[in-house]
Amino acid sequence: MSSQAHHRAAWRVRLGDVIYNSDTRAGRVFDLFLIAAILASVLAVMLDSVAPLRARYAPQLRAAEWTLTALFTAEYLLRLLTARRASHYARSFFGVVDLLSLLPAYLALLLPGAQYLLIVRVLRLLRIFRVLKLVRYLSEASVLTRALQASLAKITVFLAVVLTLVVIVGTLMYVVEGPQHGFTSIPTSIYWAIVTMTTVGYGDIAPETPLGKGLASLVMILGYGIIAVPTGIVTVGLTQAQRGAWLDTAPAVTCARCGLSPHEPDARYCRRCGEGLPSLPVSSPVS
């Protein structure tokens, strides 16, 4: 390798260390500056959606949006240039988010209004967990993900049942109330059933006949029970996921009689044969 090529490679390594490594002073300053720019970009998009502010400061807001877009575009290209494997970064979660945060600005050149999709840049703030040394909290997110995955089948069945109920209730309400009371179609009645069953209650449509009011009362009471079901499902899944996370990291305590392992952290006897379990060693405090 020539000295010039070696110099270019060393430059990419140094720059990549600043961009990807927040443990160094330069990397931390870069990440904090990036977070500030993301916040400024999200704020500019929000202010641009306020009609009086847009009418008065449209040129300044547009200039800020494009300046920040140019900054983020340069940053994305530098990440591709300095990554050990550009394809890995491009396909990673943050790589996809970084790209999606750029596309709306350029898409707005063809589709007016698409610039408001730049609000997706708020996802880039997830880097704050790494910058502020909060990565340990991400392990809790993995437990929640495992809980949701474990509960997916139950939640799917639950949603299918709820969907069936709102279709039936909406159709009944259409038959009972009819267009003269605002239930102009079955889809409109299903919309009312969803709003009522979820206890939102916009009040834009309401039954007027005694039978309709009785059916609405039944749906409202049913709604409270329906809200409790997914909560219980996810709670059980979360408990099981937390137990699974502990089993993945806990020291294995094996029963001397039947060989069963592992056991709960506070178990004193084997759950299979009742044999007494050895106590886990307690680490001495660091002096």
Side-chain angles (χ1 to χ4, degrees), residues 72-82 89 102:
F72 293 139
T73 301
E75 180 228 349
Y76 180 75
L77 295 176
L78 286 175
R79 286 184 181 276
L80 288 174
L81 179 65
T82 58
Y89 161 71
L102 297 174

Side-chain angles (χ1 to χ4, degrees), residues 36 40 74 99 114-115 146 181 240 243 269-270:
L99 180 60
Q115 69 272 13
R146 290 171 60 179
H181 294 147
Q240 293 175 343
R243 181 178 181 275
Y269 300 93
C270 176

Side-chain angles (χ1 to χ4, degrees), residues 8-145:
R8 286 200 301 267
W11 172 81
R12 288 180 58 187
V13 170
R14 289 195 300 270
L15 183 58
D17 192 52
V18 172
I19 293 176
Y20 288 103
N21 188 4
S22 60
D23 292 331
T24 63
R25 178 179 177 82
R28 190 174 181 84
V29 170
F30 174 83
D31 283 335
L32 292 176
F33 172 78
L34 181 62
I35 290 172
I38 294 170
L39 290 173
S41 175
V42 172
L43 179 62
V45 174
M46 291 181 176
L47 294 178
D48 189 54
S49 67
V50 181
L53 294 178
R54 183 172 64 249
R56 185 172 181 179
Y57 300 106
Q60 293 88 338
L61 291 172
R62 189 57 53 86
E65 288 179 9
W66 278 108
T67 299
L68 291 167
T69 297
L71 175 67
F72 293 139
T73 301
E75 180 228 349
Y76 180 75
L77 295 176
L78 286 175
R79 286 184 181 276
L80 288 174
L81 179 65
T82 58
R84 292 183 179 179
R85 294 188 179 180
S87 60
H88 286 187
Y89 161 71
R91 294 196 302 267
S92 67
F93 171 78
F94 282 115
V96 173
V97 169
D98 292 345
L99 180 60
L100 290 178
S101 69
L102 297 174
L103 293 180
Y106 299 107
L107 188 62
L109 298 174
L110 302 175
L111 299 174
Q115 69 272 13
Y116 297 119
L117 296 177
L118 288 172
I119 204 70
V120 75
R121 286 175 180 170
V122 74
L123 289 175
R124 303 193 67 196
L125 292 177
L126 292 176
R127 283 193 171 92
I128 198 171
F129 285 97
R130 177 173 57 85
V131 176
L132 300 182
K133 308 299 183 185
L134 301 177
V135 179
R136 63 184 182 276
Y137 292 108
L138 296 180
S139 61
E140 299 301 323
S142 66
V143 172
L144 181 59
T145 301

Side-chain angles (χ1 to χ4, degrees), residues 139 142-143 146 241-253 262-263 265 280:
S139 61
S142 66
V143 172
R146 290 171 60 179
Q242 288 175 328
R243 181 178 181 275
W246 175 83
L247 292 176
D248 290 340
T249 58
V253 179
H263 291 81
L280 292 175

Side-chain angles (χ1 to χ4, degrees), residues 255 257-263 269-275 277:
C255 175
R257 177 185 293 178
C258 67
L260 181 64
S261 176
H263 291 81
Y269 300 93
C270 176
R271 64 178 181 271
R272 176 187 291 170
C273 67
E275 179 74 8
L277 298 174

